Amino acid sequence: GLFRGAVEKDLDPYTALWRNGGAQSGTAGVSVSPRTAQKMLSPVYAACNLLSDTLAGVDLLLVQKQRQGGMVVVDDGDIPAALAGLTFLDKEVLFHDLALFGNGYAVIQRDPGGTLVQLLPLHQNRVGVTTEQGSRVLYHVQRYLDGPTEIMDSEGVLHLKYRVTEDRPEGVPPVMAAAEAVGNVQALQLFKNYFYSQGSSLSGTLNHPGRIKPEASKRLKTAWQEMYGTMTGKHKVAVLEEGLEFKPVNNGETAQDSQMVEQSMFSVREIARCYGVPAFLLQESADQNYSISEQAMRYFLIHSVRPWARRVESIMSHALLTREQILAGYTLRFDTDSALLAPGVETADYLSKMLNAGIYSPNECRNLVNKPDSAQGGMDENSIPVNLAPAGTEQEEPLADPEDLVI
């Protein structure tokens, strides 16, 4: 195991349960855990990958809220440098563990002066959680395989959580929050596996004209099953001896009768509901109309990705920023707004309107489409149309001189 000796004994049953797979039995008769759900159900694997890869691919920025509204990106300092040091794989590990296990961990490394140096993401099976005197949370961290176990408090560990329970400091895995629904999907998957490997019903009976002993009957059944009862034994020619007669039994149970396709679609939609993602992004596109795919992707970013992003932003801001920085309006923010624009005509129309309204300068528009600044003059200046002026500054046109009037 990861934790050995006294440290492993200190782990409470709840933490030990999740470290060992976290199984929970449901009414469907199968055990549900994050590991088994991901291993058995491709929609769980796809949903976790979809969320983690999307978040890992979006820039995480340090911003400061302005009194008049809006935010300004802060590029200098220890926190932006530490965030820039996170690779895509680092963030993917952190966010995938959060989506699957409900917990993502990273060691917070600071220098003796308290300056943030690095964030070191860890797989969740390298971290155990205990409580001291019912309130203080301690983390049993193993940074390297077969390395020593360190005991840290919340100042040294970034702990991302998906929801929490009343009596535990850990987050709740989404598949465990919906364990009954996930258990039903796992039961359907087990049925499909058995259907295609053994068949869903008794295929026939072997009849003998006389009586045979139980031992002989058992040997005959085993031999017949090994030869003809598997996928590789289908359509083989059987040779019968001693008056044996095979009578096929057909009760009409085919893949169509068992509604395999419908069950697969139901499984994908059930997992999609569990994670709050559109089913078509898990490759279940029966009802997807590609003419509205842009709106569907925008729905995914707003209603699926953004809640997960806000959860991560809040936890990381309180873990990495000081109280003074938070009161001064500093916070961490995923740049999800830029992903809401579809490339092409929609982006061009948006930037044109923002430029004409004086909100963006020409160089800022170029940067938003990954183009470098232009060296031409005036490209960093904001401008507004000449027919617009601030309210209250309108100038009245002078009245014409009567002598100038031509009758």
Side-chain angles (χ1 to χ4, degrees), residues 47 49-55 275-282 293-308 340:
N49 275 358
L50 177 65
L51 292 170
S52 61
D53 290 354
T54 302
L55 286 176
Y275 279 95
V277 300
F280 82 93
L281 290 178
L282 303 184
S293 58
E294 290 183 3
Q295 293 300 324
M297 287 301 300
R298 187 173 285 109
Y299 176 92
F300 165 67
L301 290 170
I302 294 175
H303 298 285
S304 301
V305 174
R306 185 170 287 178
W308 286 85
L340 292 174

Side-chain angles (χ1 to χ4, degrees), residues 153-313:
D153 59 14
S154 57
E155 295 294 326
V157 176
L158 171 66
H159 184 183
L160 303 181
K161 309 175 187 178
Y162 177 78
R163 314 261 172 97
V164 292
T165 60
E166 295 180 357
D167 57 343
R168 292 303 313 160
E170 294 95 340
V172 179
V175 294
M176 303 307 297
E180 287 293 338
V182 176
N184 290 335
V185 176
Q186 285 189 191
L188 288 174
Q189 184 65 39
L190 288 172
F191 172 77
K192 288 195 298 182
N193 293 346
Y194 182 76
F195 182 97
Y196 287 116
S197 63
Q198 300 292 338
S200 63
S201 62
L202 182 66
S203 58
T205 61
L206 288 174
N207 301 324
H208 193 275
R211 296 189 61 181
I212 57 176
K213 295 181 180 181
E215 295 79 5
S217 176
K218 185 176 181 180
R219 287 196 303 270
L220 181 61
K221 177 181 177 181
T222 302
W224 185 274
Q225 178 66 24
E226 291 177 353
M227 182 63 69
Y228 309 109
T230 63
M231 289 292 293
T232 57
K234 301 297 183 182
H235 308 297
K236 284 186 176 181
V237 177
V239 179
L240 305 179
E241 300 178 302
E242 300 181 358
L244 281 175
E245 181 184 2
F246 176 76
K247 290 186 177 182
V249 175
N250 183 12
N251 58 4
E253 287 197 20
T254 63
Q256 291 79 7
D257 296 327
S258 300
Q259 296 182 318
M260 291 295 182
V261 176
E262 290 78 4
Q263 290 178 10
S264 297
M265 294 171 59
F266 168 78
S267 300
V268 174
R269 294 178 179 181
E270 195 79 334
I271 299 302
R273 280 190 287 267
C274 175
Y275 279 95
V277 300
F280 82 93
L281 290 178
L282 303 184
Q283 309 305 315
E284 199 290 282
S285 55
D287 300 327
Q288 175 63 16
N289 185 347
Y290 286 95
S291 65
I292 59 172
S293 58
E294 290 183 3
Q295 293 300 324
M297 287 301 300
R298 187 173 285 109
Y299 176 92
F300 165 67
L301 290 170
I302 294 175
H303 298 285
S304 301
V305 174
R306 185 170 287 178
W308 286 85
R310 294 295 179 264
R311 181 179 294 110
V312 173
E313 293 165 359

Side-chain angles (χ1 to χ4, degrees), residues 11-40:
L11 297 179
D12 57 90
Y14 183 92
T15 299
L17 174 68
W18 291 119
R19 180 166 53 80
N20 293 320
Q24 176 179 327
S25 297
T27 55
V30 297
S31 295
V32 179
S33 73
R35 293 189 187 279
T36 58
Q38 178 178 240
K39 184 178 180 180
M40 292 182 60

Side-chain angles (χ1 to χ4, degrees), residues 56-213:
V58 178
D59 291 332
L60 182 57
L61 309 172
L62 175 64
V63 300
Q64 184 179 21
K65 300 177 182 178
Q66 303 297 297
R67 291 184 178 180
Q68 66 272 24
M71 299 182 182
V72 174
V73 178
V74 180
D75 295 325
D76 56 346
D78 58 333
I79 293 179
L83 295 177
L86 289 172
T87 66
F88 182 91
L89 182 60
D90 290 333
K91 293 185 285 186
E92 188 180 36
V93 169
L94 189 61
F95 300 146
H96 188 275
D97 279 355
L98 173 63
L100 180 61
F101 297 98
N103 298 278
Y105 301 98
V107 173
I108 303 174
Q109 295 183 340
R110 300 181 184 272
D111 64 14
T115 301
L116 180 63
V117 176
Q118 183 184 15
L119 291 175
L120 179 62
L122 297 173
H123 285 284
Q124 61 85 32
N125 61 352
R126 294 181 180 270
V127 182
V129 184
T130 61
T131 54
E132 186 180 69
Q133 298 178 350
S135 57
R136 188 185 180 203
V137 179
L138 297 177
Y139 298 91
H140 303 256
V141 178
Q142 189 182 44
R143 302 194 190 195
Y144 311 102
L145 186 63
D146 296 328
T149 299
E150 307 173 54
I151 299 180
M152 303 179 176
D153 59 14
S154 57
E155 295 294 326
V157 176
L158 171 66
H159 184 183
L160 303 181
K161 309 175 187 178
Y162 177 78
R163 314 261 172 97
V164 292
T165 60
E166 295 180 357
D167 57 343
R168 292 303 313 160
E170 294 95 340
V172 179
V175 294
M176 303 307 297
E180 287 293 338
V182 176
N184 290 335
V185 176
Q186 285 189 191
L188 288 174
Q189 184 65 39
L190 288 172
F191 172 77
K192 288 195 298 182
N193 293 346
Y194 182 76
F195 182 97
Y196 287 116
S197 63
Q198 300 292 338
S200 63
S201 62
L202 182 66
S203 58
T205 61
L206 288 174
N207 301 324
H208 193 275
R211 296 189 61 181
I212 57 176
K213 295 181 180 181

